């Protein structure tokens, strides 16, 4: 009998992963259902560290439930990532509501950052620059649907190429 060339999941494998992500309250916040599986190269930090760690040793068709604390996922909710800005910082005719997402350009670094309106008060607008899943414990259900060695080109580029060798 010939040995399975791929065997179990190690670094530099291209992994195809079906997944469902739930929060503590059971709410589904992300899923590959009805879409292509997630594809990434194992060992390159392309997915959150807590999940990557749990995938080592799995084989095709293996399924697993994984619970990941915030520290191994999107981090804790940092008080420093909240910032009050004056209402005047936004166009007067712009409607602001709590919970809405904004794209803000940092005038110092010129980087575009995602923020959420956490609170609107007389002092101004409180913006939340935390990742939307910061502070959340993540409950993943995963299934390995594909496993192969990454090509040297994929390893050099640091991302997965399509079946025809082209970029996605
Ligand atoms: Zn490439």
């Amino acid at each position: 009998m010939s040995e399975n060339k791929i065997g179990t999941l190690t670094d530099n494998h291209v992994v195809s992963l079906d997944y469902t992500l739930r929060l503590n309250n059971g709410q589904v916040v992300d899923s590959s259902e009805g879409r292509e599986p997630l594809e990434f190269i194992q060992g390159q930090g392309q997915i959150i560290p807590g999940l990557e760690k749990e995938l080592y040793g799995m084989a095709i068709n293996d399924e697993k439930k994984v619970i990941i604390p915030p520290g191994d996922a999107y981090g804790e909710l940092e008080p420093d990532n909240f910032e009050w800005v004056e209402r005047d910082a936004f166009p007067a005719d712009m409607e602001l509501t709590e919970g809405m997402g904004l794209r803000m350009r940092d005038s110092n670094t010129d980087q575009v950052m995602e923020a959420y309106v956490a609170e609107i008060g007389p002092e101004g607008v409180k913006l939340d620059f935390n990742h939307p899943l910061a502070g959340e414990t993540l409950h993943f259900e995963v299934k390995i649907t594909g496993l192969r060695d990454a090509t040297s080109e994929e390893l050099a580029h640091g991302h997965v190429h399509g079946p025809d060798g082209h970029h996605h």
Side-chain angles (χ1 to χ4, degrees), residues 67-79:
I67 299 173
I68 303 168
D72 276 335
Y74 292 101
E76 303 289 348
L77 209 51
E78 298 289 346

Side-chain angles (χ1 to χ4, degrees), residues 1 15 59 105 121 123 127 133 137 147:
M1 210 168 87
V15 183
R105 187 176 293 277
E123 313 92 324
L127 296 179
L133 292 176
T137 297
L147 211 52

Side-chain angles (χ1 to χ4, degrees), residues 153-154 156-161 165-168:
E153 202 184 25
E154 286 172 322
H157 290 193
H159 55 233
V160 177
H161 292 168
H166 291 141
H167 290 147
H168 285 182

Side-chain angles (χ1 to χ4, degrees), residues 72-140:
D72 276 335
Y74 292 101
E76 303 289 348
L77 209 51
E78 298 289 346
D80 286 352
N81 291 342
F82 291 95
E83 197 180 317
W84 281 100
V85 297
E86 290 181 22
R87 179 63 182 83
D88 293 353
F90 303 94
D93 62 352
M94 184 177 173
E95 206 177 316
L96 294 170
T97 54
E98 288 180 9
M100 78 184 282
L102 297 168
R103 290 173 150 264
M104 307 281 295
R105 187 176 293 277
D106 188 307
S107 50
N108 296 318
T109 64
D110 211 40
Q111 266 189 320
V112 175
M113 303 173 75
E114 307 249 359
Y116 291 83
V117 176
E119 204 179 320
I120 301 169
E123 313 92 324
V125 180
K126 190 185 189 183
L127 296 179
D128 179 0
F129 288 94
N130 287 288
H131 188 280
L133 292 176
E136 299 282 0
T137 297
L138 305 183
H139 300 248
F140 278 98

Side-chain angles (χ1 to χ4, degrees), residues 22-108:
R22 290 184 177 84
L23 304 182
N24 271 337
N25 63 10
Q27 184 198 346
V28 174
V29 287
D30 196 9
S31 173
S32 61
E33 207 184 312
R35 290 193 276 145
E36 294 291 306
L38 177 68
E39 283 195 322
F40 60 91
I41 304 173
Q42 176 80 358
Q44 298 206 350
Q46 297 180 356
I47 61 171
I48 57 168
L51 183 57
E52 186 168 56
K53 205 164 57 186
E54 292 285 342
L55 299 180
Y56 287 106
M58 292 182 76
I60 291 182
N61 291 325
D62 276 0
E63 295 179 46
K64 195 172 189 178
K65 287 185 182 185
V66 183
I67 299 173
I68 303 168
D72 276 335
Y74 292 101
E76 303 289 348
L77 209 51
E78 298 289 346
D80 286 352
N81 291 342
F82 291 95
E83 197 180 317
W84 281 100
V85 297
E86 290 181 22
R87 179 63 182 83
D88 293 353
F90 303 94
D93 62 352
M94 184 177 173
E95 206 177 316
L96 294 170
T97 54
E98 288 180 9
M100 78 184 282
L102 297 168
R103 290 173 150 264
M104 307 281 295
R105 187 176 293 277
D106 188 307
S107 50
N108 296 318

